[in-house]
Amino acid sequence: MTSPVSGLGPVVYAVDLRLFHAIHPSTPPSPAMLHLARGLADGPLILTAALLGAMLMFPRWSMRSIALKTVGIAAAALLLNLLIGAVWDRARPFVAGVGQAWVSHAATGSFPSDHLTVQWVVAGMLLLDRRTRAWGIGIALLGLPMAWARIYLGVHYPGDMLGALAMGGLAMLSGWLGFRRSTTSAIVPASSRT
C-alpha cells in the first residue's frame, strides 16, 4: 500500500516547473530586461545589508541589538540552508537542463534560496519591533522582485523562493519566541521562576 503523500512530490515538482517556465524566458532576453533582472537579483540584498550596517554604526538609533540579533538569526538560517542542501541537493534549473542561466552562477543546490532567505529573515526580524516595522515591510516587499529576478535569470525555481519564505517565517517565530522569553524573564521576579 502506498501513502497518499508519496504521489505529492511529482505533482509539486510539475507545478513548480510550470511556474518556472511561465517566468523564465526560453529565448535570450533583451539587454534592458537582462540588466533589470540582474539589478533586482542582488540589489535589494545590498540595500538590506546597508540598512543593517547603518543600524550597527549609529548608536543614537539604539537599534544595535535588533541588528545584531537579526544578523545572528540570518546566519543561523543560512547554516540551516546548508543542512537542507546536504540532505536534498536540488539541482538548479540550468544544471537540470530545464532552463538557461542568463547570469553566471555556481552549480550549487538551489533549495532554498540563500539570497531570499536572508532578505526575508531580516524582514521578519525587523517586523517584530515597532521601531523597525516599516523597514521590515519594505525589505519584505523588496524580496518579491528579487524572487522574480532569480527565477527569470534561471538560477532558481519558484519553490526555492517558497522555501526561503518558510525560513523567514521560522526565523521570525524564533525571534518572537526569544523576545517573548526575554521580556517574560525581565518581568517575572527571579524568586518566582522555576
Side-chain angles (χ1 to χ4, degrees), residues 21-145:
H21 285 299
I23 297 169
H24 178 71
S26 57
T27 59
S30 71
M33 280 301 292
L34 194 56
H35 186 69
L36 174 68
R38 285 178 175 166
L40 291 173
D42 292 321
L45 192 56
I46 293 168
L47 291 173
T48 298
L51 174 67
L52 284 175
M55 289 173 71
L56 288 168
M57 289 175 37
F58 297 109
R60 68 173 184 258
W61 287 3
S62 69
M63 296 195 193
R64 272 190 184 154
S65 66
I66 296 167
L68 287 171
K69 288 175 190 172
T70 299
V71 169
I73 296 286
L78 287 175
L79 286 174
L80 189 54
N81 278 5
L82 279 173
L83 291 173
I84 291 169
V87 172
W88 185 37
D89 187 18
R90 183 180 194 191
R92 291 186 183 273
F94 65 90
V95 175
V98 298
Q100 172 70 40
W102 301 116
V103 293
S104 61
H105 198 288
T108 56
S110 71
F111 184 85
S113 167
D114 288 338
H115 281 76
L116 264 292
T117 293
V118 170
Q119 188 76 10
W120 283 331
V121 163
V122 170
M125 293 301 293
L126 295 181
L127 284 167
L128 291 174
D129 191 296
R130 62 178 161 68
R131 298 173 296 169
T132 57
R133 196 160 290 142
W135 288 108
I137 291 168
I139 289 170
L141 291 175
L142 281 174
L144 297 174

